[in-house]
Amino acid sequence: MRKPIIGVTPLYDTERESIWMLPGYLEVLKDCGGLPVILPLGIDGADGEQLVKMCDGILFTGGQDVDPGLYGQEVWEFCGERHGGRDQQERELFREAFRADMPIFGICRGMQFINVMMGGTLYQDLPSQRGVGLSHRMKPPYDVRWHDVELVSESPLGKLLGEELIGVNSCHHQAIRKLAPGLKAMACATDRIVEALYCPDRRFLQAVQWHPEFSWRRDERQRRIMEAFVEACRQEEKE
């Protein structure tokens, strides 16, 4: 049986000037039946169209901060490292995948980037812009629960897991400030920060703020989330 090909956006090491990948992203996709492929940087519109046509789904991974210029803001004092080449690559990939109604899934930065591409904004730094509250940045190990999120029962995630509250890991200092038009929350932390989203007008466009690629072996819920994405990619491959 042909496995669905899932394009994975690469991480970038500025110090070494190299792309790299956390193995968990690839391992969970492979274990759920997908065939992950790390996508290149430095692409233009034509490259993005060709790459998307090669794939059955796109995973937008975690990593550096999204450039605030993409959502019309100046860089805040505590905004972190950014990489213009990655922003450019993901912008082209998202546009093409969205246009094709291809399955799209985002993790951490990936969720934030999707929100920005759809017209939303971000907190550039939660502690300094929102004040003291729930801690969203844990220390290793990253495969254990850090805080709880409340699921929206009628959302795809709520229906998939059938629970009201689940524990998740957390490793981010940016977050959604204004949810983009066309997107809806699937889960929120107890401080009301959006922790998962979806687009009801798309066949499969979902994202989570936490990291299933770290916790899927210990938490069956996280594996089920990734299985749902791979299955959507499998349906894309069949059509």
Side-chain angles (χ1 to χ4, degrees):
M1 178 184 296
R2 179 187 182 276
K3 297 179 179 179
I5 297 173
I6 301 173
V8 181
T9 59
L11 313 180
Y12 189 81
D13 187 320
T14 303
E15 182 178 342
R16 294 180 173 83
E17 296 184 347
S18 62
I19 64 171
W20 65 289
M21 181 55 56
L22 286 164
Y25 288 116
L26 307 182
E27 289 169 354
V28 66
L29 292 173
K30 288 171 62 179
D31 200 75
C32 291
L35 182 61
V37 176
I38 301 173
L39 300 175
L41 293 177
I43 64 173
D44 59 19
D47 293 335
E49 182 179 6
Q50 184 173 345
L51 287 169
V52 166
K53 286 182 177 178
M54 179 188 79
C55 299
D56 301 303
I58 304 291
L59 171 64
F60 290 85
T61 58
Q64 286 112 327
D65 289 355
V66 178
D67 187 344
L70 294 178
Y71 48 97
Q73 294 185 7
E74 298 295 326
V75 176
W76 177 252
E77 178 183 1
F78 297 106
C79 186
E81 180 184 83
R82 302 164 302 283
H83 187 263
R86 183 166 182 191
D87 287 336
Q88 171 66 21
Q89 178 223 37
E90 295 190 358
R91 185 165 56 240
E92 298 296 341
L93 292 172
F94 182 82
R95 286 173 176 170
E96 292 299 331
F98 188 85
R99 184 179 297 120
D101 198 13
M102 173 177 287
I104 294 171
F105 192 74
I107 292 175
C108 196
R109 169 201 154 93
M111 184 177 94
Q112 297 163 10
F113 192 84
I114 289 169
N115 185 60
V116 168
M117 288 296 96
M118 298 284 288
T121 64
L122 305 177
Y123 288 107
Q124 294 185 43
D125 180 66
L126 273 173
S128 62
Q129 290 187 306
R130 204 169 186 267
V132 177
L134 180 68
S135 171
H136 286 268
R137 195 154 199 167
M138 68 192 298
K139 295 180 180 179
Y142 297 118
D143 61 346
V144 297
R145 172 194 168 278
W146 183 247
H147 65 71
D148 291 332
V149 298
E150 301 171 358
L151 304 186
V152 178
S153 60
E154 294 304 310
S155 71
L157 185 60
K159 293 177 181 178
L160 175 70
L161 299 182
E163 300 182 55
E164 296 181 357
L165 194 74
I166 65 170
V168 298
N169 55 17
S170 186
C171 189
H172 63 104
H173 82 111
Q174 296 201 321
I176 289 177
R177 187 168 195 162
K178 175 186 175 185
L179 191 64
L183 296 178
K184 291 187 176 182
M186 295 199 294
C188 291
T190 54
D191 60 1
R192 308 319 302 163
I193 290 294
V194 175
E195 290 276 337
L197 60 76
Y198 77 109
C199 180
D201 294 334
R202 298 280 113 177
R203 180 169 44 177
F204 190 102
L205 196 170
Q206 298 182 21
V208 297
Q209 185 60 68
W210 61 87
H211 289 269
E213 78 280 6
F214 286 128
S215 56
W216 65 278
R217 285 190 174 92
R218 292 178 61 123
D219 187 346
E220 178 63 22
R221 301 176 189 87
Q222 305 309 317
R223 178 188 169 84
R224 289 170 62 192
I225 290 170
M226 300 308 295
E227 283 179 334
F229 170 52
V230 173
E231 182 58 30
C233 297
R234 196 186 311 280
Q235 294 299 318
E236 167 77 7
E237 179 267 329
K238 288 178 181 179
E239 294 180 2

